[in-house]
């Protein structure tokens, strides 16, 4: 075993443990933090595969942006853990059997028999001055132009949908139009009502009146 | 690789629809709410313009562009034209309904047009990545449209269910695609097809990928055992959106099935035939029998959709050009029938009242004999009573299955169709022989009256002369799949 192999096994072990803890941790904040760790180690494995641009992008985008946002949301939500775990034991036998079956099938096929080194020879390592990023950019804007543009449209739809669902005509929105606030006149705020002065009425008179 | 010019010409309809969707978003910012009808007109104009472009750029051959990721063949052109036509009908049917419920906004039309663009990409995708992007574009628009009526808790619940299950299905599809990539070394559908023709290697890996792909497709189509979301989403969404999900999107789902199974994995037909047989039989049984127990019209239509998907699968699992063409005929007929059926629910609905229960149809003949007659044609067509379009659709798929030697399956399907006829004919009985609960006069717009009448009468006319539509489907499939 060479040095890279040791690094790989260490990272893979951390990744597996972190992934397991994501679904077993009782506290959702801890689970989110374990997910950050999982992303981080996955980025390390990609670095070993000479995919340095993707590794950095994973750290920047997922760890830096997505997960921070995610943590915020998880911290703000008041999640009732007991309610989430309701019915866990009653679903376990069926779900466990189906899950175990699927896992067994996948292990049978995804092992080294079909995806081992004998089938897929390891690619030759690139020279030190090889630019992964430039290659990626070249493919993205030529061969993969159509899916790239479509991804942009999907993002636009996400923006439109998010705004349409949350911003407009919302009854409980506390948004105030600044222009309307500035234009307001005294007459809009204060109403002067002319009415006769109040006269103190004694209790006797009141009873007599009724 | 082609020059950029051929790429642009091939994808001109998509580019036009996307640009117009963005233009509508911009126009909506500056338009007064009273003039919002202009947005509706713009959307219709977009569909008309796209139809014009598709017609003028049509050639009776297959053109690949964008490095083989995008294909312009007769099947995609025909399906795109059907998508424009049916979306235009959807927009006409839904205008009154959504304006009475505060959803008559620019976003509604922009999202519908983005969904149309997504479907066009699905119809024309020739690469797993393009197909997947088109599917996601469509699905995202649909999730948002279902939740559009945001004060409605049931719509929000339906949107959530649809989103979670839809994401799961997309994940399965993607996983299956990655397996195929592992086994064949390509994401391009033509290359996957030709590499399989040269000899099937890594068969277990291919089958595992195929299982995931078929499961993902079944989710999107709503075939048993992946049908759980259909009734809940149909019932919970605003009827205007149910109409869109139940009709137009099925055309794109059909194209996805043809691209993946008939074009990419045709060599594995013997394997996916077995899976489709199980799903088709279960869909017809569960769809037809559960529909009998429904009191909600929308839920009944949902289960009827499931049984129609079963019949559609009969056409596809024949795995012949004839079978695919009859499946295409079936999906087009199904979409026209669904449009008329949901169109009637939308027509009978008023402000604050949904005509989505079976009881709401009581005595429709006394209230308005013409609409009762239109609904009668639609129900006969869904049940498959000659001489309506639905009869020829069922006839064509079962004939294709018969040619493939599936005699007992065909006999079974005919028996189930007879059982299914019960709940369609029950609606006819409710309309003609029951006393109306509410005797108010049915008010509607002129264009809705005419389009719905034409739509239902088309079911009859195409049923009497099915040959033109059948020839169109055969033409599209034969030239695209050779």
């Amino acid at each position: 075993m060479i040095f890279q192999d040791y690094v790989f096994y260490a990272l893979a072990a951390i990744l597996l443990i972190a992934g397991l803890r994501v679904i077993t941790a009782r506290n959702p904040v801890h689970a989110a933090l374990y997910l950050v760790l999982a992303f981080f180690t996955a980025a390390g494995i990609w670095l070993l595969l000479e995919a340095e641009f993707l590794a950095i992008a994973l750290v920047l985008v997922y760890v830096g942006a997505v997960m921070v946002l995610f943590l915020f949301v998880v911290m703000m939500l008041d999640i009732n853990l007991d309610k989430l775990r309701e019915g866990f034991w009653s679903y376990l036998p069926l779900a466990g059997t189906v899950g175990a079956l699927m896992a067994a099938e996948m292990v049978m096929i995804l092992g080294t028999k079909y995806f081992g080194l004998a089938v897929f020879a390891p690619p030759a390592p690139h020279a030190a001055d090889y630019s992964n990023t430039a290659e990626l950019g070249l493919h993205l804007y030529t061969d993969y132009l159509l899916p790239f543009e479509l991804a942009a449209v999907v993002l636009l739809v996400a923006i439109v949908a998010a705004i349409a669902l949350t911003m407009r005509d919302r009854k409980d929105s506390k948004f105030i139009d600044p222009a309307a606030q500035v234009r307001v006149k005294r007459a809009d705020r204060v109403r002067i009502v002319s009415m006769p002065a109040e006269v103190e009425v004694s209790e006797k008179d009141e009873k007599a009146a009724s | 690789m082609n020059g950029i010019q051929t790429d642009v010409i091939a994808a001109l309809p998509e580019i036009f629809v996307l640009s117009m969707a963005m233009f509508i978003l911009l126009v909506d910012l500056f338009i007064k709410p009273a003039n919002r009808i202009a947005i509706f007109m713009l959307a219709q104009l977009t569909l008309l313009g796209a139809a014009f472009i598709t017609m003028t750029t049509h050639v009776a051959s297959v053109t690949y562009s964008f490095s083989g990721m995008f294909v312009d063949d007769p099947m995609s052109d025909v399906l795109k034209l059907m998508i424009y036509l049916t979306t235009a009908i959807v927009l006409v049917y839904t205008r009154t309904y959504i304006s009475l419920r505060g959803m008559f906004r620019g976003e509604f039309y922009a999202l519908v047009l983005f969904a149309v663009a997504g479907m066009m990409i699905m119809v024309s995708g020739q690469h797993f990545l393009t197909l997947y992007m088109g599917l996601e574009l469509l699905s995202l628009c649909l999730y948002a449209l279902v939740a559009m009526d945001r004060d409605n808790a049931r719509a929000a619940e339906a949107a959530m269910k649809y989103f979670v299950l839809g994401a799961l299905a997309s994940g399965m599809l993607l996983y299956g695609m990655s397996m195929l990539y592992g086994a064949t070394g390509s994401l391009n559908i033509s290359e996957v097809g030709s590499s399989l023709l040269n000899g099937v290697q890594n068969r277990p890996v291919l089958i595992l990928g195929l299982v995931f792909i078929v499961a993902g497709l079944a989710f999107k189509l709503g075939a048993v055992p992946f049908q759980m979301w259909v009734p809940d989403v149909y019932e919970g969404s605003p009827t205007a959106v149910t109409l869109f999900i139940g009709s137009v999107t099925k055309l794109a789902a059909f194209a996805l099935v043809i691209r993946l199974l008939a074009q990419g994995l045709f060599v594995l037909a013997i394997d996916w035939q077995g899976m489709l047989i199980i799903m088709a039989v279960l869909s017809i049984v569960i769809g037809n029998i559960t529909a009998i127990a429904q009191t909600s019209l929308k839920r009944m239509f949902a289960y009827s959709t499931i049984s129609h998907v079963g019949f559609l699968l009969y056409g596809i699992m024949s795995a012949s050009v004839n079978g695919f063409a009859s499946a295409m005929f079936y999906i087009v007929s199904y979409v026209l029938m669904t449009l008329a059926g949901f169109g009637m629910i939308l027509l009978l609905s008023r402000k604050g009242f949904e005509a989505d229960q079976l009881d709401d149809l009581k005595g429709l003949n006394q209230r308005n004999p013409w609409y009762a007659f239109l609904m009668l044609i639609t129900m006969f067509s869904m049940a498959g009573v000659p001489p309506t379009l639905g009869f020829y659709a069922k006839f064509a798929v079962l004939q294709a299955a018969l040619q493939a030697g599936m005699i007992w399956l065909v006999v079974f399907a005919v028996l189930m169709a007879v059982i299914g006829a019960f709940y369609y004919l029950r609606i006819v009985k409710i309309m003609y022989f029951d006393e109306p609960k509410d005797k108010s006069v049915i008010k509607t717009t002129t264009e809705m009256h005419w389009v719905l009448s034409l739509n239902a009468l088309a079911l009859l006319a195409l049923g009497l002369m099915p040959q033109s539509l059948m020839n169109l489907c055969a033409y599209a499939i034969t030239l695209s799949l050779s």
Side-chain angles (χ1 to χ4, degrees):
Chain A
M1 283 219 298
I2 50 170
F3 177 66
Q4 270 101 325
D5 291 352
Y6 287 112
V7 177
F8 170 77
Y9 282 115
L11 287 174
I14 299 174
L15 178 62
L16 280 180
I17 293 167
L20 256 178
R21 289 297 289 148
V22 171
I23 52 169
T24 52
R26 288 198 148 260
N27 188 335
V29 177
H30 292 177
L33 286 173
Y34 275 114
L35 196 55
V36 170
L37 180 63
F39 281 140
F40 215 82
T41 38
I45 292 178
W46 284 3
L47 261 184
L48 282 181
L49 290 171
E50 299 183 12
E52 62 277 351
F53 179 78
L54 288 179
I56 296 296
L58 186 71
V59 171
L60 282 180
V61 176
Y62 273 88
V63 179
V66 176
M67 284 316 293
V68 169
L69 208 68
F70 204 77
L71 263 179
F72 265 121
V73 175
V74 169
M75 283 178 184
M76 280 188 203
L77 291 178
D78 179 24
I79 299 173
N80 186 348
L81 281 178
D82 292 327
K83 201 160 180 204
L84 272 182
R85 281 164 206 280
E86 222 169 65
F88 177 80
W89 291 107
S90 58
Y91 290 130
L92 187 67
L94 184 65
T97 320
V98 173
L101 254 171
M102 275 180 76
E105 281 173 6
M106 281 161 66
V107 165
M108 268 157 58
I109 287 169
L110 300 182
T112 47
K113 189 174 168 203
Y114 299 107
F115 290 101
L117 282 177
V119 187
F120 290 100
H126 291 292
D129 59 348
Y130 175 80
S131 172
N132 206 311
T133 319
E135 280 299 305
L136 214 61
L138 200 64
H139 280 295
L140 205 55
Y141 295 109
T142 54
D143 294 344
Y144 290 84
L145 181 66
L146 182 66
F148 178 74
E149 297 284 347
L150 286 174
V153 177
V154 169
L155 287 178
L156 176 70
V157 167
I159 296 171
V160 172
I163 293 174
L165 291 182
T166 53
M167 279 294 282
R168 293 189 49 176
D169 298 339
R170 202 175 137 160
K171 282 183 186 124
D172 52 351
S173 170
K174 298 206 168 59
F175 175 75
I176 295 167
D177 183 8
Q181 244 181 339
V182 172
R183 273 203 307 271
V184 81
K185 295 204 181 70
R186 193 193 59 159
D188 301 334
R189 293 262 163 97
V190 185
R191 192 160 58 101
I192 298 173
V193 187
S194 116
M195 57 183 288
E198 291 278 322
V199 188
E200 288 252 339
V201 188
S202 67
E203 269 183 41
K204 265 185 196 170
D205 294 345
E206 217 168 80
K207 270 179 191 163
S210 64
Chain B
M1 194 179 139
N2 291 316
I4 192 81
Q5 206 175 354
T6 40
D7 285 358
V8 169
I9 288 174
L12 207 55
E14 282 82 359
I15 295 172
F16 177 70
V17 170
L18 282 175
S19 318
M20 285 301 283
M22 290 175 214
F23 181 63
I24 282 177
L25 274 178
L26 282 179
V27 170
D28 184 51
L29 285 178
F30 298 104
I31 207 160
K32 287 198 183 94
N35 301 336
R36 209 161 260 164
I37 185 84
I39 300 279
F40 170 77
M41 292 300 182
L42 266 178
Q44 293 285 27
L45 210 66
T46 308
L47 295 169
L48 197 68
F52 176 74
I53 298 173
T54 307
M55 296 271 252
T56 45
T57 56
H58 172 77
V59 277
S61 62
V62 184
T63 326
Y64 296 102
S65 52
F66 289 103
S67 325
M69 287 193 178
F70 188 88
V71 64
D72 184 14
D73 56 7
M75 184 182 93
S76 69
D77 283 346
V78 170
L79 280 175
K80 275 179 202 170
L81 288 174
M82 289 309 300
I83 288 173
Y84 307 143
L85 174 71
T86 46
T87 310
I89 297 176
V90 167
L91 292 184
V92 170
Y93 286 173
T94 54
R95 189 167 68 84
T96 319
Y97 182 92
I98 62 172
S99 56
L100 289 178
R101 281 159 185 76
M103 293 195 291
F104 192 52
R105 311 194 306 222
E107 290 92 345
F108 181 86
Y109 291 99
L111 283 175
V112 166
L113 286 184
F114 277 123
V116 167
M119 286 188 270
M120 292 160 76
I121 298 286
M122 277 166 79
V123 163
S124 273
Q126 190 64 16
H127 193 270
F128 289 149
L129 200 54
T130 332
L131 285 173
Y132 183 74
M133 294 307 295
L135 181 64
E136 284 307 287
L137 183 55
L138 168 68
S139 307
L140 266 181
C141 294
L142 292 183
Y143 306 145
L145 282 171
V146 172
M148 203 75 170
D149 190 6
R150 47 160 298 142
D151 295 326
N152 182 348
R154 303 200 48 179
E157 188 195 325
M160 201 62 214
K161 266 184 195 155
Y162 194 25
F163 179 66
V164 172
L165 290 176
L168 188 68
S170 297
M172 286 214 228
L173 206 57
L174 208 55
Y175 193 72
M177 286 171 180
S178 74
M179 282 296 121
L180 292 185
Y181 180 64
T184 61
S186 176
L187 285 171
N188 191 309
I189 287 182
S190 324
E191 284 172 25
V192 168
S194 55
S195 108
L196 288 181
L197 269 182
N198 291 339
V200 179
Q201 283 157 353
N202 299 332
R203 193 178 174 84
V205 180
L206 281 172
I207 303 295
L208 185 74
L210 180 68
V211 168
F212 278 99
I213 283 193
V214 169
L217 289 176
F219 246 118
K220 297 290 172 194
L221 277 173
V224 178
F226 305 100
Q227 88 291 12
M228 302 81 72
W229 61 273
V230 181
D232 292 341
V233 171
Y234 270 44
E235 197 190 10
S237 326
T239 314
V241 181
T242 313
L243 172 66
F244 190 62
I245 295 179
S247 58
V248 189
T249 60
K250 300 290 181 211
L251 290 168
F254 166 77
L256 190 63
V257 173
I258 291 290
R259 295 271 180 238
L260 288 177
L261 296 188
Q263 276 192 310
L265 302 172
F266 192 73
V267 178
L268 298 177
I270 199 83
D271 297 296
W272 52 254
Q273 258 175 332
M275 302 179 202
L276 292 194
I277 285 174
I278 297 172
M279 294 197 312
V281 168
L282 284 178
S283 298
I284 291 182
V285 172
I286 292 182
N288 275 327
I289 289 179
T290 326
I292 295 176
Q294 304 305 318
T295 54
S296 155
L297 203 51
K298 275 159 95 178
R299 276 190 96 83
M300 197 204 89
F301 276 141
Y303 284 106
S304 122
T305 301
I306 295 171
S307 79
H308 281 302
V309 167
F311 278 102
L312 172 75
L313 293 179
Y314 264 78
I316 294 170
M317 74 199 191
S318 311
S320 60
V321 169
N322 191 7
F324 297 137
S326 58
M328 188 167 164
F329 184 81
Y330 198 91
I331 201 76
V332 171
S333 335
Y334 161 78
V335 169
L336 288 177
M337 295 188 282
T338 312
L339 281 174
F342 277 107
M344 194 53 77
I345 300 184
L346 288 167
L347 189 143
L348 296 176
S349 296
R350 297 185 299 268
K351 190 173 174 63
F353 171 73
E354 300 274 334
D356 61 355
Q357 298 298 316
L358 283 180
D359 287 350
D360 296 325
L361 286 175
K362 270 187 178 169
L364 186 63
N365 186 41
Q366 291 178 32
R367 292 171 68 196
N368 191 323
W370 177 243
Y371 291 146
F373 175 66
L374 295 181
M375 193 63 174
L376 172 92
I377 299 177
T378 313
M379 286 303 115
F380 274 5
S381 183
M382 280 194 177
V385 177
T388 52
L389 184 59
F391 168 73
Y392 281 99
K394 281 199 171 62
F395 181 72
V397 286
L398 293 183
Q399 198 183 32
L402 211 55
Q403 281 169 359
M406 306 174 184
I407 299 171
W408 289 111
L409 290 171
V410 170
V411 171
F412 179 77
V414 171
L415 281 178
M416 290 317 289
V418 173
I419 294 178
F422 168 75
Y423 58 86
Y424 296 121
L425 297 182
R426 186 174 61 186
I427 289 189
V428 173
K429 179 235 159 204
I430 288 176
M431 288 192 303
Y432 280 88
F433 300 108
D434 285 4
E435 281 298 311
K437 262 200 317 187
D438 95 272
K439 295 197 166 109
S440 55
V441 181
I442 300 164
K443 273 182 280 185
T444 182
T445 54
T446 325
E447 85 252 21
M448 173 121 183
H449 173 84
W450 281 106
V451 174
L452 186 60
S453 303
L454 280 178
N455 183 349
L457 290 179
L459 296 178
L460 196 61
L462 284 173
L464 291 169
M465 292 167 285
Q467 212 49 50
S468 51
L469 186 58
M470 194 69 221
N471 286 344
L472 187 69
C473 295
Y475 160 80
I477 292 286
T478 320
L479 283 179
S480 307
L481 288 186
S482 52

